[in-house]
Amino acid sequence: MKKPVYIFSDGELHRKDNTLYFEGENGRKFIPVENTSEIMIFGEVSLNKRFLEFISQSEIILHFFNHYGYYVGSFYPREHLNSGYMILKQAENYIDEKKRLYIAQKFVEGAYRNIRQVLKYYQNRGKSLDDIIYAIERLGDMIDGTSDINELMAIEGNIREYYYKSFDEILGNGDFEFDVRSKRPPKNSLNVLISFGNSLMYTTVLSEVYKTHLDPRIGYLHSTNFRRFTLNLDISEIFKPIIIDRVIFTVIGKNVIKKDDFDEDAEGLLLKDKAKMAFIEEYENKLKTTINHRSLGNNVSYRRLIRLELYKLEKHLMEEQKYTPFVAQW
């Protein structure tokens, strides 16, 4: 199976005949084209048109992250599976308010039910989460009754607000207290990890969208406008609780990432490269983890689950099968 390549060093990316290599301060490192799905660039890296032409032919995506580890953009090669028919179906389901609302509700339902599963998991291990679960369940009951996207987004935001209040109880670590959700820049260490993890999730889903007939510019929960991609944000909502948040709980719970793994500058807190690598290692391990898929009757990885979610959406858009979101079963 193809896998991503992460680059943290400064240097240059080159094409040599039918191979790729990265040249940095530690010398030259070749990148196996046939085994690479995407290249995640965190360092200051130079490249040229010849390199871009070759990775485009090889269907390799580039994702760029800034100094703080947050996603800034992608080189998204010409879509080799692009389908005019699918784009029309996506647009049809976006323009029709009733059809759009149904899909958006299912995305929020998936996010809510997976959040609930995470909370139940820790409740069963002695964490005091009864009040938060009760509040979230009341909000979850309101999803199907929403009449427009703004009302749905408000409920989704309230669910996450209650959910984030559970992090202090789940973690029980004074060095990683949640306080409130803050972004660009995050105000504390836990928010740094949430933002960093979410950036990874958005790019992973975007890479999986590329392998389908779907156009990532047309989402349903997040409005389609002049923003580059929205569908990957929609699908990420379903998987963030069971992938990113579980990774955060693991790296903090096992002391893989500690208080001194952060630096502070004029813009805010910064996760050190060593800690980023440790987080990514746990994240990639999570994506490779397999679970039993009840419908398929065999084991599939979390990364494969994301692709299957996109295939389900395709079937819904083509009116072959109603879309229902993936919900983890522990």
Side-chain angles (χ1 to χ4, degrees), residues 75-106:
F75 174 74
Y76 198 75
R78 181 174 56 83
E79 292 96 332
H80 61 293
L81 292 175
N82 207 351
S83 163
Y85 172 75
M86 186 58 71
I87 291 174
L88 289 174
K89 298 303 286 185
Q90 280 185 259
E92 173 193 319
N93 278 263
Y94 182 87
I95 294 167
D96 186 312
E97 292 182 4
K98 186 176 180 181
K99 290 180 178 180
R100 179 190 173 190
L101 182 61
Y102 173 84
I103 297 171
Q105 285 173 334
K106 291 303 169 186

Side-chain angles (χ1 to χ4, degrees), residues 10-43:
D10 297 344
E12 298 177 351
L13 281 165
H14 293 280
R15 170 190 178 179
K16 182 175 175 60
D17 299 324
N18 290 321
T19 61
L20 302 174
Y21 68 88
F22 173 75
E23 189 146 26
E25 59 183 18
N26 295 323
R28 182 176 296 185
K29 181 178 180 180
F30 282 89
I31 299 171
V33 175
E34 66 281 0
N35 295 329
T36 301
S37 57
E38 64 249 80
I39 302 175
M40 317 280 271
I41 300 174
F42 291 86

Side-chain angles (χ1 to χ4, degrees), residues 127 167-179 187-191 252-253 255 257-260 262 269:
K127 300 297 183 179
F167 279 33
D168 288 350
E169 172 67 17
I170 290 170
L171 290 168
N173 187 325
D175 291 337
F176 291 91
E177 292 183 343
F178 181 75
D179 192 19
K187 302 296 185 186
N188 59 38
S189 302
L190 185 52
N191 273 282
I252 294 176
N255 288 319
I257 293 178
K258 299 181 285 294
K259 186 178 181 179
D260 58 7
F262 299 81
L269 285 177

Side-chain angles (χ1 to χ4, degrees), residues 2 19 85 122 151 160 163 166 186 190 220 231 234 299:
K2 292 186 176 184
T19 61
Y85 172 75
Y122 287 101
E151 184 184 0
R160 288 201 178 273
Y163 174 51
S166 74
L190 185 52
Y220 298 95
L231 183 59
D234 286 358
N299 290 337

Side-chain angles (χ1 to χ4, degrees), residues 27-272:
R28 182 176 296 185
K29 181 178 180 180
F30 282 89
I31 299 171
V33 175
E34 66 281 0
N35 295 329
T36 301
S37 57
E38 64 249 80
I39 302 175
M40 317 280 271
I41 300 174
F42 291 86
E44 293 295 327
V45 174
S46 300
L47 44 87
N48 59 26
K49 184 167 72 74
R50 190 165 175 264
F51 174 86
L52 292 176
E53 287 172 350
F54 184 63
I55 66 164
S56 185
Q57 293 167 10
S58 305
E59 299 167 2
I60 297 173
I61 304 173
L62 296 182
H63 297 302
F64 297 91
F65 298 80
N66 66 14
H67 178 60
Y68 294 91
Y70 308 135
Y71 173 73
V72 294
S74 299
F75 174 74
Y76 198 75
R78 181 174 56 83
E79 292 96 332
H80 61 293
L81 292 175
N82 207 351
S83 163
Y85 172 75
M86 186 58 71
I87 291 174
L88 289 174
K89 298 303 286 185
Q90 280 185 259
E92 173 193 319
N93 278 263
Y94 182 87
I95 294 167
D96 186 312
E97 292 182 4
K98 186 176 180 181
K99 290 180 178 180
R100 179 190 173 190
L101 182 61
Y102 173 84
I103 297 171
Q105 285 173 334
K106 291 303 169 186
F107 290 153
V108 174
E109 178 190 325
Y112 152 65
R113 292 178 66 187
N114 282 322
I115 283 171
R116 183 177 178 276
Q117 287 295 86
V118 171
L119 294 174
K120 286 285 188 180
Y121 175 87
Y122 287 101
Q123 182 188 45
N124 291 337
R125 281 152 183 78
K127 300 297 183 179
S128 180
L129 301 171
D130 297 24
D131 291 345
I132 290 175
I133 291 172
Y134 177 81
I136 284 176
E137 287 177 340
R138 299 289 72 76
L139 288 165
D141 290 340
M142 299 167 63
I143 292 170
D144 286 343
T146 52
S147 57
D148 59 50
I149 296 296
N150 288 335
E151 184 184 0
L152 179 64
M153 289 284 280
I155 289 173
E156 190 267 345
N158 287 333
I159 288 172
R160 288 201 178 273
E161 187 177 345
Y162 276 108
Y163 174 51
Y164 284 134
K165 289 178 181 177
S166 74
F167 279 33
D168 288 350
E169 172 67 17
I170 290 170
L171 290 168
N173 187 325
D175 291 337
F176 291 91
E177 292 183 343
F178 181 75
D179 192 19
V180 295
R181 182 74 178 107
S182 56
K183 310 174 187 177
R184 298 187 182 278
K187 302 296 185 186
N188 59 38
S189 302
L190 185 52
N191 273 282
V192 169
L193 292 180
I194 293 170
S195 293
F196 180 63
N198 289 349
S199 283
L200 294 176
M201 189 83 261
Y202 298 147
T203 54
T204 296
V205 176
L206 180 59
S207 294
E208 292 302 316
V209 173
Y210 182 71
K211 298 161 191 170
T212 72
H213 298 292
L214 293 164
D215 190 310
R217 295 169 294 184
I218 304 176
Y220 298 95
L221 179 62
H222 296 83
S223 295
T224 296
N225 47 34
F226 296 105
R227 187 162 34 186
R228 291 158 298 190
F229 305 121
T230 53
L231 183 59
N232 59 318
L233 305 183
D234 286 358
I235 299 295
S236 293
E237 298 298 336
I238 299 167
F239 291 97
K240 284 191 298 187
I242 56 176
I243 296 178
I244 297 304
D245 299 339
R246 294 295 302 276
V247 168
I248 290 171
F249 299 153
T250 297
V251 295
I252 294 176
K254 293 184 177 179
N255 288 319
V256 174
I257 293 178
K258 299 181 285 294
K259 186 178 181 179
D260 58 7
D261 285 317
F262 299 81
D263 284 328
E264 189 168 0
D265 66 10
E267 297 294 324
L269 285 177
L270 171 70
L271 187 61
K272 295 177 182 177

